Amino acid sequence: MSATAMKISALLLVLLGILAIAAGVVYFVEAARDLPSFFPGSLPSDSPFKFHRRSRGAVGMGLGVLLVAAGAWLAFLARRERLKASRDY
């Protein structure tokens, strides 16, 4: 895999990780009836349940942290490969 492809993959992983963290925060902060309709676990506004979705929030934030870490690791590998290639010339 080339350094450019690794950088693009790292950027995508970090962006997906940030989105997952943001979704996790929304699950922690909003009540189930206030979640956006495209979020799993949202309830109609007339529902009597007002639970926070802590488990989904925790999974979203955990997955987000893992994705950001994987993106950072991939960016590190891309930089190392680019430096290694520049020393070979």
Side-chain angles (χ1 to χ4, degrees):
M1 185 179 239
S2 70
T4 305
M6 283 182 167
K7 283 174 70 173
I8 292 171
S9 298
L11 180 65
L12 288 175
L13 283 174
V14 169
L15 289 175
L16 284 173
I18 290 171
L19 288 174
I21 290 171
V25 168
V26 169
Y27 271 117
F28 275 119
V29 173
E30 296 293 330
R33 64 180 173 87
D34 295 332
L35 287 173
S37 61
F38 56 87
F39 271 54
S42 64
L43 296 173
S45 60
D46 58 351
S47 176
F49 301 107
K50 298 178 183 176
F51 299 113
H52 288 272
R53 300 293 183 207
R54 288 185 180 93
S55 60
R56 289 183 180 168
V59 168
M61 291 180 76
L63 181 64
V65 168
L66 287 175
L67 287 171
V68 169
W73 178 71
L74 202 54
F76 169 75
L77 289 180
R79 182 170 187 250
R80 190 172 71 173
E81 185 175 313
R82 190 181 71 229
L83 291 174
K84 183 179 165 186
S86 68
R87 278 188 242 143
D88 290 343
Y89 288 114

